[in-house]
């Protein structure tokens, strides 16, 4: 069974950073991209970017290039996303989701991590 | 960025047929996918590459289209289909989603 297990909810201060994790199991970690998706409360889905865990190559949506940093650890089958200079606009649920290389859909999804930015 | 425009919220009765549309601002070949999201849950892949049923998804769901116009059809609709449906394209970077169509049952 494929599972993407994400870390727990975060309450963070404005201006700080947060790093959330996504541990994959049930498939070969290096055979799939890991993507990250943002969903603000009662709103739609926004693609942040993707990482190729096999070589660490990343692609970001323009608006997240200075906000998000994606990394992956092959030894533990875990992907990470760090969000920096947090503001209230970053309050959202963040999903990790994996898809095969190429222009593939998002086959598997984590349960989501709620990040709340508040003083 | 490729903008995906979805039909607005829909309300249908169980047993009826419903079609949800998604129009892309530029061609995406057949690389359009559909997801179902229920409140408090992660999205779930229903249809990939316009018309292919994802594993474990009931045959009541089907997809069609190519280029810029795509449709997700549910026939017949069941009570459990109450959810928001998103289209998503993976042909152009950045990948983009539609705003979602909320399906309610009468």
């Amino acid at each position: 069974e494929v599972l993407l297990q994400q870390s727990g909810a975060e309450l963070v201060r404005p201006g700080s950073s947060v790093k959330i994790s996504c541990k994959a199991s049930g498939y070969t970690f290096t055979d799939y991209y890991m993507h990250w998706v943002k969903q603000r409360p009662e709103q739609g889905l926004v693609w942040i970017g993707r990482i190729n865990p096999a070589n660490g190559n990343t692609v970001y949506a323009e608006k997240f290039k200075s906000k998000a940093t994606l990394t992956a650890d092959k030894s533990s089958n875990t992907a990470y996303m760090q969000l920096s200079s947090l503001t209230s606009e970053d309050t959202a649920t963040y999903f990790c989701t994996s898809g095969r290389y190429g222009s593939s859909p998002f086959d598997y999804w984590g349960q989501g991590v709620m990040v709340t930015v508040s003083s | 960025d490729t903008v995906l425009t979805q039909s607005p919220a829909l309300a249908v009765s169980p047993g009826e047929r419903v079609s949800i549309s998604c129009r892309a601002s530029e061609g995406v070949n057949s690389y359009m996918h559909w997801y179902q999201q229920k409140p408090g849950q992660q999205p779930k892949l229903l249809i990939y590459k316009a018309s292919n049923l994802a594993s474990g998804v009931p045959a009541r769901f089907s997809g069609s289209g190519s280029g810029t116009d795509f449709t997700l059809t549910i026939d017949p609709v069941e009570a459990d289909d109450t959810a928001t449906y998103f289209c998503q394209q993976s042909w152009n970077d950045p990948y983009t989603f539609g705003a979602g169509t909320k399906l309610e049952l009468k």
Side-chain angles (χ1 to χ4, degrees):
Chain A
E1 179 195 9
V2 172
L3 189 64
L4 298 179
Q5 184 64 45
Q6 296 188 241
S7 48
E10 300 272 3
L11 172 61
V12 293
R13 298 287 184 251
S16 67
S17 298
V18 68
K19 190 172 186 177
I20 59 181
S21 66
C22 173
K23 183 173 177 59
S25 60
Y27 72 96
T28 303
F29 184 60
T30 51
D31 283 352
Y32 287 69
Y33 285 132
M34 188 68 76
H35 302 261
W36 292 84
V37 172
K38 176 182 180 180
Q39 186 170 38
R40 298 191 69 190
E42 303 302 319
Q43 294 193 18
L45 302 163
V46 180
W47 183 74
I48 295 170
R50 65 176 179 263
I51 185 166
N52 181 337
N55 57 23
N57 288 349
T58 53
V59 175
Y60 296 93
E62 189 66 34
K63 66 180 293 184
F64 291 100
K65 283 184 176 178
S66 59
K67 172 62 65 178
T69 302
L70 306 183
T71 56
D73 179 358
K74 290 185 287 187
S75 67
S76 64
N77 289 350
T78 303
Y80 300 91
M81 178 174 67
Q82 179 164 317
L83 300 169
S84 61
S85 303
L86 292 164
T87 72
S88 59
E89 296 295 303
D90 299 313
T91 293
T93 296
Y94 293 88
F95 295 99
C96 60
T97 175
S98 62
R100 295 182 186 271
Y101 296 144
S103 300
S104 296
F106 304 141
D107 293 312
Y108 310 113
W109 291 73
Q111 80 275 21
V113 175
M114 179 67 197
V115 174
T116 303
V117 182
S118 175
S119 55
Chain B
D1 297 1
T2 304
V3 176
L4 303 182
T5 302
Q6 293 189 231
S7 46
L10 298 170
V12 298
S13 299
E16 292 185 344
R17 170 190 173 108
V18 65
S19 292
I20 298 171
S21 65
C22 178
R23 173 165 287 178
S25 61
E26 58 187 320
V28 298
N29 201 320
S30 62
Y31 288 87
M32 185 68 78
H33 321 295
W34 291 92
Y35 302 85
Q36 177 193 64
Q37 187 179 33
K38 296 182 178 180
Q41 295 185 17
Q42 66 269 55
K44 171 189 172 184
L45 178 66
L46 295 176
I47 300 288
Y48 65 96
K49 284 193 71 178
S51 60
N52 297 279
L53 199 64
S55 177
V57 176
R60 303 183 290 104
F61 293 88
S62 63
S64 63
S66 66
T68 60
D69 290 292
F70 298 85
T71 302
L72 171 70
T73 299
I74 311 172
D75 186 16
V77 172
E78 296 184 357
D80 188 53
D81 299 334
T82 298
T84 301
Y85 294 84
F86 294 94
C87 56
Q88 176 250 330
Q89 65 83 21
S90 60
W91 183 244
N92 303 310
D93 268 334
Y95 293 178
T96 50
F97 291 88
T101 297
K102 191 170 185 178
L103 180 66
E104 296 181 340
L105 268 66
K106 297 177 184 175

